[in-house]
Amino acid sequence: MKALITGISGFVGSHLAEYLLGKQVEVTGTIRNRSRMDHIRHLKDIQLVECELRDPFSVESLLAKVKPDLIFHLAAQSFVPTSWNSPVDTIHNNVAGQVNIFEAVRKHDLDCKIQIACSSEEYGHVEPDEVPIKETNPLRPLSPYAVSKVAQEYLGYQYHKSYGLKVIPTRTFNHTGPRRGENFVTSNFAKQIAEIEKGIKPPVLMVGNLEAKRDFTDVRDVVRAYWLALEKGTPGETYNIASGKCCTIREMLNLLLSFSNKEITVQQDPERLRPSDVEILLGDYSKFHQATGWKPEIPFEQTMEDLLNYWRERV
Ligand SMILES: C[C@H]1O[C@H](OP(=O)(O)OP(=O)(O)OC[C@H]2O[C@@H](n3cnc4c(=O)[nH]c(N)nc43)[C@H](O)[C@@H]2O)[C@@H](O)[C@@H](O)C1=O
């Protein structure tokens, strides 16, 4: 069994590679020349291919060579604030990259299953009586990033219907754990605490909007879900991957602070506020559970402690 992971050097890609190697799957991953390699340097049994997904020729030759049975399409511009600063780049990167993959699969008549990493951000504005959110909820995206994910998902549907591609979109809610990029809120706060503990930074933790509510799953549960999505999911169907619980960003911060014995004050940085923020994301993952048996296993407290310890070893 051969798997291709786009964006293997990223946060989720590196965890997925570890998981697949544990299942004796042959793993090939795409990187770009500016990719950081620190998350995958320890993985000796993977093949790496330099590939710019926005370039159709590069993608075509990759797929002709690898001929994977499974594709996990994770590569994306995934930071919501960047999508306001560079909307065209986000849309181009996320949408064109995926179309190039679909076109190459079609052209080479590859019989593979394709998971596409879609997002709870697609739901965007959610009414109070719509939680926990089911897959049937309207999509009201609130950022260029969210729109790019809606486009990716609809293209998955269209290529499935038009050409029979076995596409399975996963709408994953927030996920975190060791190796989470430092821009994202959980890692950003954990890194600041680790720096304060080491005396590298004054004991003032900078924050944005603490009132938003998010549903966090551990990345190690998420990569298991991606494997199950391709093993047991139905092509053309979309699945929520979530914990079914949510907390405010303030509650998440307080949990992180409870692991530290430093006196830390919290200060809002207006630069960290967004033109529009999704107020609440709380997912219903029962459709995915029924299809695959998956449920999250790692408690949130453990995820956050592991993340803080990850940063304590690095700053
Ligand atoms: C499912 C979805 O999940 C992620 O998108 P996100 O929810 O935007 O993630 P985040 O960690 O940047 O923000 C979470 C919340 O936290 C608030 N917040 C407060 N203070 C800070 C702060 O200081 N930094 C950041 N980054 N956020 C802050 C911020 O305003 C927002 O309400 C991506 O993986 C995305 O790719 C994806 O698909």
Side-chain angles (χ1 to χ4, degrees):
M1 175 85 71
K2 275 197 266 181
L4 174 70
I5 305 176
T6 68
I8 196 169
S9 59
F11 163 57
V12 182
S14 63
H15 283 281
L16 181 60
E18 276 172 8
Y19 183 80
L20 295 180
L21 290 174
K23 295 223 159 267
Q24 317 309 324
V25 174
E26 223 178 287
V27 176
T28 300
T30 68
I31 50 166
R32 291 190 291 188
N33 57 10
R34 59 176 181 274
S35 295
R36 289 180 52 184
M37 303 301 283
D38 36 340
H39 296 342
I40 49 171
R41 197 161 285 124
H42 64 292
L43 298 174
K44 301 295 170 218
D45 297 328
I46 54 174
Q47 270 83 50
L48 297 177
V49 183
E50 211 171 296
C51 179
E52 170 51 67
L53 296 179
R54 285 175 293 190
D55 170 24
F57 301 106
S58 190
V59 176
E60 219 195 288
S61 70
L62 165 79
L63 284 176
K65 202 165 92 190
V66 179
K67 293 191 169 58
D69 304 295
L70 308 173
I71 298 177
F72 297 91
H73 178 41
L74 308 180
Q77 191 306 92
S78 66
F79 189 48
V80 173
T82 297
S83 79
W84 275 297
N85 299 333
S86 311
V88 173
D89 197 53
T90 299
I91 301 283
H92 186 216
N93 196 59
N94 296 359
V95 177
Q98 185 180 279
V99 173
N100 288 336
I101 294 170
F102 287 171
E103 281 295 306
V105 168
R106 196 164 83 79
K107 189 159 177 199
H108 292 284
D109 209 12
L110 300 178
D111 182 24
C112 58
K113 292 185 185 173
I114 310 169
Q115 176 260 347
I116 56 176
C118 292
S119 166
S120 57
E121 278 291 302
E122 291 174 53
Y123 295 117
H125 174 74
V126 173
E127 297 292 342
D129 62 353
E130 291 175 339
V131 291
I133 309 164
K134 287 188 182 295
E135 290 82 352
T136 48
N137 214 71
L139 305 179
R140 307 183 192 100
L142 292 178
S143 66
Y145 166 78
V147 173
S148 78
K149 289 288 156 182
V150 173
Q152 277 189 243
E153 188 175 328
Y154 282 159
L155 281 161
Y157 178 80
Q158 183 253 311
Y159 272 75
H160 173 67
K161 287 290 188 194
S162 306
Y163 307 116
L165 260 62
K166 295 178 186 157
V167 179
I168 303 181
T170 46
R171 278 187 203 147
T172 310
F173 286 62
N174 291 61
H175 40 296
T176 188
R179 304 184 202 143
R180 187 39 150 162
E182 64 184 272
N183 286 336
F184 297 89
V185 71
T186 48
S187 246
N188 190 278
F189 291 177
K191 185 180 182 203
Q192 289 189 63
I193 293 173
E195 286 174 340
I196 291 167
E197 287 178 342
K198 287 245 166 94
I200 303 170
K201 179 182 152 56
V204 184
L205 196 143
M206 305 308 288
V207 302
N209 171 23
L210 296 183
E211 307 316 318
K213 293 182 179 143
R214 290 291 187 273
D215 174 330
F216 290 101
T217 303
D218 191 292
V219 63
R220 294 158 286 194
D221 281 329
V222 168
V223 298
R224 186 166 49 83
Y226 289 172
W227 165 258
L228 287 170
L230 290 195
E231 199 181 37
K232 297 186 174 171
T234 305
E237 289 293 326
T238 289
Y239 298 100
N240 277 349
I241 295 173
S243 75
K245 293 179 201 151
C246 79
C247 64
T248 61
I249 299 302
R250 186 186 300 281
E251 286 165 338
M252 179 278 290
L253 170 60
N254 286 338
L255 175 64
L256 274 177
L257 289 171
S258 74
F259 298 134
S260 180
N261 51 19
K262 284 276 170 196
E263 273 294 306
I264 298 175
T265 50
V266 172
Q267 191 178 314
Q268 193 173 70
D269 170 6
E271 291 276 301
R272 289 173 182 244
L273 300 174
R274 301 174 178 194
S276 52
D277 203 0
V278 173
E279 277 175 43
I280 179 164
L281 289 173
L282 166 59
D284 178 332
Y285 68 88
S286 54
K287 178 178 172 186
F288 190 59
H289 177 71
Q290 270 159 27
T292 66
W294 179 87
K295 57 180 167 44
E297 283 170 2
I298 303 174
F300 186 47
E301 291 71 18
Q302 189 190 325
T303 304
M304 296 308 291
E305 201 169 1
D306 290 352
L307 178 62
L308 181 56
N309 287 334
Y310 168 81
W311 282 113
R312 280 173 173 151
E313 285 164 19
R314 267 156 197 85
V315 298

